[in-house]
């Protein structure tokens, strides 16, 4: 993380590397001659020694630049040096990515849950209730799925190569695969394939690329917008090379370093980082509104003449015409220049200040952006084996969030903690008004003996304890070797251990992907999806056999597995068989079956004036059968009396109608 102790880069480094010793005292007689010889030798040693030291030591380089350069030139050198390092790092990472893209990459991962007996009991109670009839063999067969399986897992093998993908996802019980799915994608043609091997070997396929081409043709476009994407997949390096990446980083960093014409340098400034103090050289640059506008002009000029960006946008992606690209940027530059001439921008008030923290080797270890409204600060430091880091944002004098790193380096094993603090804002209604209340909330992660096993693949060892407010702490254990990474934790909530959750993964930088043959695949046409029937792909017998196999592997007795597989199959195919629900079919015709004649309130079958209707319906009411005590939990006594009056009224009307009908 840190190669030099930046607290030891003071004058002692220069004095030791630039000093000469072993010169004998001269006598008065030979003073002139010897002085000349000694002077010549001293000069030669000084020049040669310093040149050698300058070529080998970053600390010496930094000290020389700091002492002999103006603040502006020193700051420009530091910016160029660090941007070059960043450019090389990003370029190298991009180059490795292209190599992996060409050779392929395979990632295996598995998530496994091992429930405790208590969890199994809770699950059974949730599914089957508190009382379980253990004599019921059918019910017990389903309970055996929970009782007899100690590991539930989801795993995947994912490969990618030259834009193509191949993924095998599966669900397992007790380490054995139950069922899964295969997905393959042809990136160049944009064809995608899917299947469930346990159901059928035949692939389902959709020609997504062809569908886009048809849509483009229907829209009358000259070219498919996705064609550029396909070309990039074929050869991404021809689209953007590692050299281009490095060039772009250095190019725009140079715009900033060349622009900064007023720099203040504070040597050996003490900077507090958590609980340590580090001596840094701090370079400060202040920008007014006018400075910011001028800087924008310089960036726009660089962008206008940027051949890499211009070639990508105008030629490779063809999203803008070359003349339009340049003219639009020129127009923006002219607008800003006109505003600059008219004193549109303030040239007195500083709108942003930037502090750059530079260690003894000339490496930038942090930045701080600030003004009257707030500040953003990010800085790292080291004192011996103690590593510290701070990352914070402050607004209107209040810290909105911060991240603090405290770590001790013990032979490349790191122990410490990371604290994340943020402001929880709430509003309380007090005295007819809302009052803002800000409460700091801290989440911490303690880590112990964290060491990198394979930096490129991301393998590491270490234990992490996570502390979240109002939640019991939990531990995440990480272990790795050359073959892969494992991360595990017990799921403990409110004192109850529900089981162990484990995540395993491994990476391999090679892949072989076979694209299925569309000739033997079941093709899906989205434009004719109404004609698609799942039974044309897999019969009900095939699906029923598939479901029975899953239920049997899960632990259900074969005779019950067969029964429920049939029920599930029938339900699925009935749901998918849209042909049996045709709104225009004679079997479901709103103009026929539900004719008004079949449901007529004026029909003789339901005629309120027909005396036969009352022969089948008798209504009686006796107020003495109702007591208020039986209804006092539901209504007041006045409401009860009102209800009785209404019932009496209805009964009298009924009696009157019955008498009249007779």
């Amino acid at each position: 993380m840190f190669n030099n102790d930046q607290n030891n880069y003071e004058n002692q480094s220069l004095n030791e590397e630039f000093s000469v010793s072993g010169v004998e005292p001269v006598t008065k007689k030979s003073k002139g001659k010897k002085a000349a010889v000694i002077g010549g030798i001293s000069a030669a040693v000084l020049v040669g020694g310093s040149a050698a030291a300058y070529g080998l030591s970053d600390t010496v380089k930094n000290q020389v630049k700091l002492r002999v350069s103006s603040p502006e030139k020193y700051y420009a050198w530091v910016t160029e040096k660090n941007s070059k390092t960043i450019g090389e790092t990003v370029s190298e990472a991009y180059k490795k990515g292209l190599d992996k893209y060409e050779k392929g990459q395979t990632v295996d991962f598995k998530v496994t849950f091992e429930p405790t007996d208590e969890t199994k009991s809770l699950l059974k109670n949730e599914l089957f209730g508190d009382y379980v009839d253990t004599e019921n063999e059918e019910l017990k067969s389903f309970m055996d799925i929970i009782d007899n399986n100690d590991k539930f897992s989801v795993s995947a093998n994912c490969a990618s190569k030259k834009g193509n993908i191949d993924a095998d996802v599966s669900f397992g019980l007790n380490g054995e695969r139950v069922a899964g799915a295969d997905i393959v994608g042809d990136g160049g043609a944009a064809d995608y394939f899917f299947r469930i091997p346990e159901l059928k070997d035949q692939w389902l396929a959709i020609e997504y690329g062809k569908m886009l081409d048809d849509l483009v043709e229907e829209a009358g476009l000259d070219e498919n917008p996705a064609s550029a994407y396909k070309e990039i997949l074929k050869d991404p390096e021809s689209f953007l090379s590692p050299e281009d990446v490095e060039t772009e980083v250095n190019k725009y960093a140079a715009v900033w370093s060349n622009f900064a014409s007023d720099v203040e340098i504070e040597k050996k400034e003490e900077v507090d980082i958590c609980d340590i103090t580090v001596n840094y050289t701090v370079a400060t640059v202040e920008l007014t509104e006018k400075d910011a506008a001028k800087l924008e002009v310089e960036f726009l000029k660089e962008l206008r003449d940027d051949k890499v960006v211009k070639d990508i946008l105008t030629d490779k992606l063809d999203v803008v015409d070359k003349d339009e690209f340049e003219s639009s940027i020129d127009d923006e530059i002219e607008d800003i220049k006109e505003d600059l001439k008219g004193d549109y921008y303030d040239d007195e008030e500083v709108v942003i200040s930037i502090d750059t923290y530079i260690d003894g080797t000339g490496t930038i270890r942090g930045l701080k952006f600030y003004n009257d409204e707030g500040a953003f600060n990010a800085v790292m430091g080291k004192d011996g084996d103690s590593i510290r880091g701070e990352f914070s944002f402050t607004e209107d004098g209040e810290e909105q969030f911060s991240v603090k790193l405290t770590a001790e380096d013990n032979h490349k094993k790191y122990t410490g903690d990371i604290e994340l603090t943020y402001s929880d804002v709430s509003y309380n209604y007090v005295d007819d008004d809302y009052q803002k209340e800000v409460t700091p909330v801290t989440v911490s992660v303690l880590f112990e003996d964290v060491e990198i096993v394979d930096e490129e693949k991301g393998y590491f060892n270490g234990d992490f304890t996570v502390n979240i407010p109002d939640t019991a702490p939990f531990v995440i254990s990480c272990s790795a070797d050359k073959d892969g990474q494992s991360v595990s934790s017990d799921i403990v909530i409110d004192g109850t251990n529900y089981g162990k959750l484990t995540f395993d993964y491994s990476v391999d930088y090679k892949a072989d992907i076979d694209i299925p043959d569309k000739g033997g695949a079941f093709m899906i046409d989205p434009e004719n999806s109404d004609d698609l029937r799942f039974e044309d792909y897999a019969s009900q017998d095939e699906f029923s056999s598939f479901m029975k196999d899953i239920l049997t592997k899960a632990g259900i007795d074969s005779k019950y597995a067969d029964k429920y597989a049939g029920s599930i199959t029938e339900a699925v195919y009935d749901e998918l068989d849209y042909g049996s629900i045709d709104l225009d079919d004679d079997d479901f015709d709103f103009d026929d079956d539900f004719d008004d004649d079949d449901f007529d309130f004026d029909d003789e079958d339901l005629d309120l004036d027909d005396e036969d209707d009352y022969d089948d319906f008798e209504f009686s009411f006796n107020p003495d059968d109702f007591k208020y005590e039986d209804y006092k939990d539901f209504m007041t006594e006045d409401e009860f009396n009102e209800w009785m009056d209404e019932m009496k009224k209805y009964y009298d009307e009924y009696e009157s109608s019955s008498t009249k009908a007779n």
Side-chain angles (χ1 to χ4, degrees):
M1 187 177 293
F2 285 85
N3 295 323
N4 301 85
D5 186 350
Q6 57 264 32
N7 283 327
N8 298 320
Y9 71 93
E10 288 89 351
N11 294 342
Q12 181 180 355
S13 298
L14 280 177
N15 292 337
E16 290 177 351
E17 296 195 45
F18 281 30
S19 63
V20 233
S21 61
V23 179
E24 295 293 332
V26 296
T27 63
K28 197 171 185 179
K29 182 176 180 182
S30 58
K31 180 178 180 181
K33 185 176 181 180
K34 286 191 177 182
V37 173
I38 293 172
I41 294 174
S42 298
V45 172
L46 179 63
V47 173
S50 62
Y54 190 82
L56 297 174
S57 171
D58 286 337
T59 301
V60 174
K61 285 182 182 180
N62 181 66
Q63 290 297 306
V64 171
K65 287 289 184 182
L66 184 59
R67 281 165 168 71
V68 303
S69 303
S70 66
E72 291 74 24
K73 288 186 177 180
Y74 172 71
Y75 184 67
W77 174 78
V78 168
T79 304
E80 180 182 353
K81 174 182 182 293
N82 284 269
S83 64
K84 186 173 185 295
T85 301
I86 295 173
E88 290 173 350
T89 302
V90 174
S91 176
E92 183 62 27
Y94 180 60
K95 187 175 181 179
K96 288 181 179 179
L98 290 175
D99 186 57
K100 295 173 187 175
Y101 179 85
E102 187 71 22
K103 295 180 180 178
Q105 177 174 301
T106 302
V107 180
D108 284 313
F109 69 86
K110 177 188 287 186
V111 179
T112 304
F113 179 61
E114 301 173 66
T116 60
D117 291 338
E118 186 171 4
T119 301
K120 290 183 177 183
S121 297
L122 291 171
L123 184 57
K124 286 189 291 186
N125 288 339
E126 184 69 25
L127 294 175
F128 307 110
D130 294 332
Y131 173 74
V132 178
D133 183 5
T134 55
E135 300 300 323
N136 187 326
E137 292 184 2
E138 186 173 348
L139 180 60
K140 188 177 184 303
S141 181
F142 278 95
M143 294 177 63
D144 285 343
I145 298 177
I146 300 173
D147 288 331
N148 297 337
N149 290 294
D150 297 322
K151 289 185 179 181
F152 300 80
S153 63
V154 177
S155 59
N157 177 279
C158 304
S160 62
K161 184 177 183 179
K162 297 182 179 180
N164 298 332
I165 60 170
D166 185 353
D168 171 15
V169 183
S170 65
F171 171 72
L173 293 172
N174 283 343
E176 298 294 329
R177 176 182 170 119
V178 174
D182 294 337
I183 304 169
V184 176
D186 182 345
D191 293 334
Y192 296 93
F193 303 83
F194 173 84
R195 72 177 177 182
I196 300 175
E198 288 78 11
L199 172 62
K200 199 162 186 177
D201 287 334
Q202 185 183 19
W203 291 93
L204 290 162
I206 180 170
E207 296 176 308
Y208 185 69
K210 180 179 180 299
M211 184 179 70
L212 286 180
D213 290 337
D214 292 342
L215 290 174
V216 168
E217 185 177 349
E218 291 176 8
L221 300 177
D222 295 332
E223 189 176 355
N224 189 340
S227 59
Y229 171 71
K230 293 180 180 179
E231 292 300 318
I232 295 172
L233 288 179
K234 290 180 182 178
D235 187 7
E237 188 169 359
S238 66
F239 179 79
L240 182 67
S241 70
E243 293 74 22
D244 290 337
V245 172
E246 185 173 354
T247 298
E248 291 300 289
V249 172
N250 293 333
K251 186 194 300 281
Y252 291 97
V255 173
W256 165 249
S257 61
N258 293 331
F259 177 81
S261 58
D262 187 8
V263 182
E264 293 184 6
I265 296 293
E266 183 67 36
K267 303 175 184 178
K268 295 170 57 177
E269 181 171 326
E270 293 185 349
V271 179
D272 294 329
I273 308 174
C274 297
D275 58 351
I276 68 171
T277 300
V278 181
N279 287 334
Y280 281 146
T281 295
V282 180
T284 302
V285 178
E286 296 180 339
L287 297 179
T288 63
E289 276 190 357
K290 183 170 285 189
D291 292 330
K294 290 178 179 178
L295 179 60
E296 184 178 359
V297 169
E298 295 304 314
F299 275 114
L300 288 171
K301 286 180 179 178
E302 196 64 52
L303 179 62
R304 180 192 58 197
D305 300 328
D306 193 327
K307 293 182 179 180
V308 174
V309 174
K310 187 187 299 183
D311 186 41
I312 290 175
L313 295 177
T314 64
D315 184 25
K316 296 174 180 177
L317 291 180
D318 194 22
V319 295
V320 63
D321 182 78
K322 185 174 295 186
D323 293 334
E324 183 183 352
F325 173 80
E326 294 179 359
S327 62
S328 62
I329 295 177
D330 283 333
D331 290 343
E332 183 67 21
I333 291 174
E334 288 304 315
D335 288 344
I336 298 174
K337 285 185 174 181
E338 285 298 318
D339 290 336
L340 286 169
K341 290 179 183 178
D343 293 329
Y344 178 80
Y345 299 103
D346 192 320
D347 193 26
E348 298 294 333
E349 184 178 355
V350 175
V351 294
I352 188 73
S353 297
I354 305 168
D355 286 351
T356 303
Y357 302 108
I358 308 164
D359 74 7
T361 68
T363 301
I364 295 176
R365 295 299 186 187
L367 292 166
K368 181 179 181 180
F369 301 85
Y370 57 98
N371 55 23
D372 293 338
E373 297 178 357
F376 169 80
N377 186 50
V379 61
M380 293 285 292
K382 184 176 182 182
D383 183 8
D385 293 328
S386 299
I387 300 170
R388 302 292 185 265
E390 287 192 20
F391 180 90
S392 64
F393 174 68
T394 304
E395 186 177 35
D396 296 330
E398 295 183 356
E399 187 177 84
Q400 302 302 310
F401 70 85
S402 69
V403 179
K404 295 183 178 181
L405 166 68
T406 301
E408 302 299 324
D409 181 358
N410 182 18
H411 304 292
K412 300 301 180 182
K413 286 187 177 182
Y414 301 95
T415 296
D417 65 85
I418 298 175
E419 282 192 356
L420 167 64
T421 302
Y422 63 92
S423 297
D424 182 21
V425 180
S426 61
Y427 292 88
N428 299 319
Y429 195 70
V430 180
D431 298 333
D432 298 329
D433 194 12
Y434 284 98
Q435 294 184 359
K436 180 179 178 181
E437 183 175 340
V438 180
T439 305
V441 179
T442 299
V443 176
S444 66
V445 179
L446 282 66
F447 52 91
E448 184 176 4
D449 291 337
V450 175
E451 63 174 338
I452 304 301
V453 175
D454 190 318
E455 184 174 359
E456 189 173 12
K457 294 181 178 180
Y459 300 165
F460 62 97
N461 292 322
D463 293 327
F464 300 81
T465 302
V466 182
N467 294 279
I468 302 174
D470 303 323
T471 303
F474 59 93
V475 177
I476 301 175
S477 298
C478 304
S479 60
D481 54 28
K482 61 182 181 63
D483 296 322
Q485 176 76 53
S486 181
V487 180
S488 63
S489 178
D490 287 332
I491 308 302
V492 180
I493 302 175
D494 295 333
T496 300
N497 188 336
Y498 289 93
K500 184 178 182 180
L501 189 67
T502 303
F503 175 59
D504 297 298
Y505 72 89
S506 62
V507 181
D508 190 9
Y509 296 125
K510 63 179 180 179
D512 293 315
I513 298 177
D514 294 324
I515 304 299
D517 180 12
K518 287 189 290 187
F522 183 87
M523 304 303 297
I524 299 175
D525 184 358
E527 294 184 359
N528 299 310
S529 59
D530 292 341
D531 299 330
L532 178 65
R533 294 292 182 270
F534 184 67
E535 194 165 3
D536 294 338
Y537 171 70
S539 69
Q540 293 195 35
D541 287 341
E542 288 174 321
F543 189 83
S544 180
S545 176
F546 163 67
M547 289 304 307
K548 180 180 179 181
D549 184 56
I550 289 179
L551 294 173
T552 303
K553 288 179 179 177
I556 294 180
D557 188 278
S558 59
K559 60 182 178 181
Y560 300 123
D562 189 54
K563 171 185 174 181
Y564 284 100
S567 300
I568 295 171
T569 300
E570 184 177 346
V572 169
Y573 278 81
D574 284 349
E575 183 70 23
L576 294 175
D577 187 9
Y578 297 105
S580 63
I581 308 177
D582 190 348
L583 298 182
D584 296 326
D585 195 87
D586 293 338
D587 296 332
F588 202 64
D589 193 342
F590 286 105
D591 296 329
D592 188 6
D593 292 347
F594 286 97
D595 195 273
D596 292 339
D597 293 338
D598 297 329
F599 202 66
D600 192 346
F601 285 100
D602 295 328
D603 194 88
E604 294 179 356
D605 295 334
L606 193 63
D607 192 343
L608 296 179
D609 296 329
D610 195 325
E611 62 183 35
D612 291 337
D613 293 334
Y614 293 97
D615 292 339
D616 300 326
F617 179 74
E618 292 186 1
F619 174 57
S620 63
F621 171 71
N622 184 3
D624 294 336
D625 293 338
F626 297 87
K627 306 296 182 183
Y628 172 66
E629 290 298 320
D630 297 331
Y631 299 91
K632 65 180 181 179
D633 293 336
F634 309 103
M635 61 183 72
T636 65
E637 189 168 3
D638 289 340
E639 290 173 337
F640 175 79
N641 292 331
E642 185 178 348
W643 177 41
M644 291 295 100
D645 291 341
E646 289 293 324
M647 292 289 291
K648 180 82 168 52
K649 177 181 176 182
Y650 290 140
Y651 178 70
D652 290 344
E653 291 178 355
Y654 168 75
E655 284 288 295
S656 176
S657 299
S658 298
T659 303
K660 181 179 179 181
N662 292 329

